[in-house]
Amino acid sequence: MATQIPQTATSEHATAGLLPRIGRSLATVPALGWLVGVLCAVIIEYVIGDTLAVMLYLPKVPALFGTTLVLKQPLLFPSALLFVLLVYVLPIGAVARLSAGWTNRAAVALERVPIWLSVLVHLGLLYAVLHVWTEASDYRLQVAKLIMIAVMLTLSINVINGYMGEFSCSHPGFMALGAYASSVFTLLLFKQDRLFGAALLPESLGPYFFPIALVIGGAAAALGALVVAIPSFRTRGDYLAIISLAFMFIVKSAIENIEPIGGPRGMGGQPHWSTLPAVFAGMAICIWIINNFVRSTMGKALNAVRDNEIAADAMTVNTRRTKMVAFMFGAFWAGVAGGFYAHEVRHVTPGSFGIQMLAEILAMVYFGGLNSVVGSIVGAVSISMISEILKPLQLYKWIIIPLILILVMIFRPTGLVAFRDFDIKRILGARR
């Protein structure tokens, strides 16, 4: 005699089995498939986003997936949620799953060509996604660029605080040196300015020299790092944290008192050369170089110094030189990020590079996870997005973000994605 199963239990069992099946089917989608799915989603939003927003009684297309809109007007939560489902979640999932067959075949084909070609294809798709998504508003464009600059900053401090195992607080100072050095170069040569007068060269030549301005900013920051490193690495323990904190305040005070570069009023009028392609290229090059650095012989030596400096010294590792090279290398990329930042916001003041910026940078690197390029990217994107999303809450934002950090430190003391290699072949490879 057959036993009759209650209908409610049957539906619950079906629902419980549905989610794992969806998860298993999506697990076969390669990175190429996800990028194609996201590209389709942003194109859908670009084409019908305004019409759909009107139909759902939204005042405009949600800038950051409806989150900021809902915080300002909580009654719009159902409309914003439906918009995100129709424009992002369902198209991304459907396209990624339906295209899994040919994207896996394409991924297999890309595995047979040089890795740089596969990387270029994926980067091209990622840039196309960003380009279409940021076309909606200047606000999105600036948020995207500031997040990419934050990724560079977080990676650079992870070289010191993560891979080298020292606690440095001087990154805002390095960033300030980079921002001011690159600004002086571009304003003096290519832009008529109240501080430097008429430009020495035609402004039309400026964009071609912008990479040089960024390198000059990075070099200025690296020289600043050398000043910190010479006395710091003769000592052990927490002295680097104290000296680097003092260095940050010295740089800030020095800039405030140098009138030829604006003094406390700061320096403005920088050319707007931190375009989306420029910042995207800078971030990609930064990730590639830092990932190669930490996986090189120097990176392995750096890990040995972090784990046991005395043992590393006994194994013929020149510990002092290794730490100085890594410290200057990290500072260089902080200076480059400062150059991008100055030419994006187009007005920098000494007050921009203080304790608050230091707290944000440290939050990004420890939230994402030490000793991990992937963790730095996750930390920079997560904290930047959370900070931007919570802006409507004003002061409460600075209560919620520390609470999130405290919870992460309690349940994952090493961060979300710590001690994980950035294996590009595995990330871009086929899934079946």
Side-chain angles (χ1 to χ4, degrees):
M1 181 178 176
T3 304
Q4 187 174 3
I5 301 173
Q7 190 173 358
T8 308
T10 307
S11 61
E12 288 177 357
H13 179 74
T15 306
L18 180 62
L19 293 178
R21 282 204 299 275
I22 292 175
R24 284 195 294 274
S25 66
L26 292 179
T28 62
V29 179
L32 192 64
W34 288 113
L35 286 173
V36 171
V38 178
L39 181 60
C40 290
V42 294
I43 290 175
I44 289 171
E45 186 192 50
Y46 183 75
V47 175
I48 65 166
D50 290 323
T51 307
L52 188 61
V54 172
M55 292 171 64
L56 295 175
Y57 302 103
L58 292 170
K60 58 182 179 180
V61 174
L64 296 178
F65 313 107
T67 47
T68 51
L69 194 62
V70 168
L71 287 175
K72 291 176 182 173
Q73 298 173 272
L75 292 177
L76 293 178
F77 175 73
S79 300
L81 180 63
L82 190 56
F83 185 93
V84 172
L85 282 174
L86 292 176
V87 171
Y88 288 105
V89 178
L90 295 179
I92 291 174
V95 172
R97 180 65 192 95
L98 293 174
S99 66
W102 71 264
T103 50
N104 266 304
R105 289 193 292 275
V108 170
L110 288 172
E111 287 175 350
R112 298 182 185 130
V113 301
I115 185 65
W116 61 265
L117 186 58
S118 176
V119 171
L120 282 181
V121 170
H122 287 81
L123 284 178
L125 276 172
L126 180 59
Y127 178 77
V129 168
L130 281 173
H131 179 76
V132 177
W133 187 71
T134 54
E135 278 289 304
S137 67
D138 291 338
Y139 172 68
R140 275 190 182 180
L141 180 62
Q142 187 170 52
V143 168
K145 286 191 280 188
L146 291 179
I147 287 176
M148 287 188 279
I149 292 170
V151 168
M152 297 171 66
L153 266 179
T154 312
L155 281 167
S156 65
I157 197 172
N158 201 6
V159 172
I160 301 167
N161 288 30
Y163 290 95
M164 195 166 77
E166 301 282 355
F167 191 84
S168 170
C169 300
S170 51
H171 250 56
F174 297 149
M175 194 177 174
L177 290 174
Y180 272 83
S182 59
S183 297
V184 168
F185 178 80
T186 54
L187 289 174
L188 184 65
L189 292 183
F190 304 108
K191 190 81 174 176
Q192 184 167 351
D193 179 68
R194 65 178 173 84
L195 295 173
F196 305 111
L200 300 177
L201 294 173
E203 188 176 350
S204 57
L205 294 176
Y208 302 103
F209 286 85
F210 186 45
I212 297 176
L214 296 174
V215 172
I216 289 173
L223 284 175
L226 185 63
V227 172
V228 180
I230 289 173
S232 302
F233 294 146
R234 290 181 182 277
T235 61
R236 295 177 186 274
D238 300 327
Y239 291 102
L240 177 63
I242 299 167
I243 295 173
S244 60
L245 189 64
F247 174 80
M248 183 189 74
F249 286 117
I250 290 170
V251 170
K252 184 170 173 288
S253 300
I255 294 173
E256 280 176 342
N257 290 284
I258 300 177
E259 282 298 327
I261 57 172
R265 296 182 302 281
M267 186 182 290
Q270 290 89 338
H272 196 194
W273 291 338
S274 287
T275 58
L276 184 65
V279 180
F280 183 81
M283 180 193 68
I285 292 170
C286 175
I287 293 173
W288 178 64
I289 292 179
I290 288 184
N291 189 51
N292 284 344
F293 177 81
V294 298
R295 299 179 73 174
S296 66
T297 304
M298 177 65 76
K300 304 300 180 191
L302 205 58
N303 285 339
V305 172
R306 179 202 61 208
D307 293 338
N308 192 322
E309 188 170 343
I310 297 173
D313 194 42
M315 295 297 290
T316 71
V317 174
N318 189 332
T319 56
R320 188 156 176 260
R321 192 187 67 179
T322 302
K323 290 198 294 186
M324 289 184 71
V325 169
F327 196 63
M328 293 176 67
F329 178 74
F332 173 85
W333 283 106
V336 172
F340 275 121
Y341 178 78
H343 290 81
E344 169 55 29
V345 299
R346 304 182 68 190
H347 186 263
V348 289
T349 61
S352 307
F353 307 99
I355 287 291
Q356 183 174 340
M357 176 171 281
L358 173 63
E360 290 178 2
I361 298 171
L362 290 176
M364 289 174 192
V365 70
Y366 285 98
F367 183 82
L370 296 174
N371 278 68
S372 169
V373 172
V374 182
S376 295
I377 298 170
V378 170
V381 175
S382 303
I383 294 295
S384 299
M385 285 295 287
I386 291 172
S387 177
E388 201 61 38
I389 286 169
L390 296 180
K391 260 186 180 177
L393 298 182
Q394 298 179 356
L395 287 178
Y396 295 105
K397 161 185 165 181
W398 297 112
I399 299 174
I400 295 173
I401 292 178
L403 283 176
I404 294 173
L405 288 172
I406 290 170
L407 289 174
V408 169
M409 290 301 107
I410 290 173
F411 294 104
R412 292 188 69 88
T414 56
L416 293 179
V417 198
F419 296 93
R420 185 172 297 181
D421 284 338
F422 186 60
D423 189 347
I424 195 68
K425 286 185 178 177
R426 186 175 59 81
I427 293 173
L428 304 185
R431 293 292 181 268
R432 64 181 181 184

